[in-house]
Amino acid sequence: MAKQGLLLINLGTPEAPTTEAVRRYLREFLSDPRVIDIHPLGRWLLLNLIILPFRPSKSAAAYRKVWTQQGSPLLAHGLGLEQAVAEKLGPTWLVKLGMRYGQPALSDTLRALQDCERVVVLPLYPQYSAASTGSSLDLLYAEAGKYWVTPNLSVIPPFYRDPGFLECMARRGRSLIEQDKPDHILFSYHGLPERQIKKCDRSDSHCLQKPDCCD
């Protein structure tokens, strides 16, 4: 029986918490025009004259604080998710994790799934952004287009409003709150440049088009 494939996509991680490994990762990551969406010359100058000479050593020190015996937390948990989902779906599915940057590379993961009759693609980003979901799908489609028989890909859309996802997040948060009983809870969100948000939504009703947006 032909298997169905499930491709889990995440952003990626350095292979080690060292300056050189982090420099390789940052070079690949920040060379992406969907991440630093400025003129190619400006991106090259910013990356090679400002970021790469100084940032890797500082970032490597931060990575060393969270690195585990299993390696990168993102990769270790990602592989754990791959295994848990595979067990849940059963033997008719082949589940693989692929990273947009670093290893396991999306090209290698797609190759491992090429004999599946259909590949369901799940970007592990709840919300869409061109710098994460968009970049991952951009590379995935380019890799899929290299095959003589193009893989049958079905992409799961952003799931930040899915009741199951919301309940899972609430359940995890609820257990930690009951355990630690904090005085305050701080929610932190990853930001995006305003120009990228405007490029994704050019409508007049967009929040950033209103003078009271940040109020």
Side-chain angles (χ1 to χ4, degrees):
M1 178 184 297
K3 286 190 176 185
Q4 298 198 82
L6 174 61
L7 171 55
L8 306 172
I9 301 179
N10 215 330
L11 200 67
T13 175
E15 295 181 36
T18 64
T19 299
E20 284 307 311
V22 171
R23 180 177 286 111
R24 288 194 301 270
Y25 173 74
L26 289 178
R27 183 181 298 279
E28 181 183 10
F29 175 36
L30 299 178
S31 293
D32 187 344
R34 284 181 174 269
V35 175
I36 301 183
D37 57 328
I38 60 177
H39 189 279
L41 177 58
R43 183 168 57 250
W44 188 95
L45 292 172
L46 177 64
L47 186 60
N48 289 279
L49 300 184
I50 298 177
I51 297 177
L52 292 181
F54 307 106
R55 177 79 64 81
S57 59
K58 296 180 180 179
S59 295
Y63 273 112
R64 284 193 290 272
K65 294 180 181 179
V66 299
W67 215 256
T68 70
Q69 291 182 343
Q70 292 75 35
S72 162
L74 185 69
L75 180 57
H77 289 303
L79 293 175
L81 178 65
E82 174 190 271
Q83 181 179 351
V85 173
E87 293 173 356
K88 187 75 172 178
L89 292 177
T92 60
W93 284 81
L94 181 60
V95 182
K96 291 292 182 182
L97 172 70
M99 298 295 195
R100 172 58 182 88
Y101 315 102
Q103 300 297 325
L106 270 181
S107 56
D108 297 334
T109 308
L110 188 61
R111 188 178 305 112
L113 296 167
Q114 65 178 324
D115 293 330
C116 295
E117 62 179 11
R118 180 174 73 114
V119 176
V120 177
V121 181
L122 175 54
L124 296 175
Y125 320 111
Q127 297 89 355
Y128 176 91
S129 85
S132 56
T133 312
S135 177
S136 298
L137 295 179
D138 191 2
L139 177 62
L140 179 65
Y141 293 145
E143 292 296 331
K146 296 177 181 179
Y147 289 88
W148 181 251
V149 178
T150 306
N152 180 7
L153 303 176
S154 302
V155 179
I156 296 177
F159 51 88
Y160 64 96
R161 289 181 177 177
D162 185 273
F165 172 72
L166 294 175
E167 174 55 30
C168 176
M169 296 294 289
R171 188 168 61 248
R172 291 283 295 166
R174 194 178 301 119
S175 65
L176 291 172
I177 291 171
E178 293 172 353
Q179 173 185 313
D180 297 335
K181 295 180 173 56
D183 296 321
H184 302 280
I185 300 174
L186 173 65
F187 289 88
S188 176
Y189 297 87
H190 192 297
L192 287 172
E194 288 187 5
R195 66 177 182 276
Q196 291 191 5
I197 298 174
K198 291 177 179 178
K199 284 161 64 175
C200 288
D201 185 351
R202 298 177 182 273
S203 65
D204 293 335
S205 61
H206 194 282
C207 174
L208 290 173
Q209 305 296 343
K210 301 175 183 179
D212 59 347
C213 172
C214 295
D215 293 343

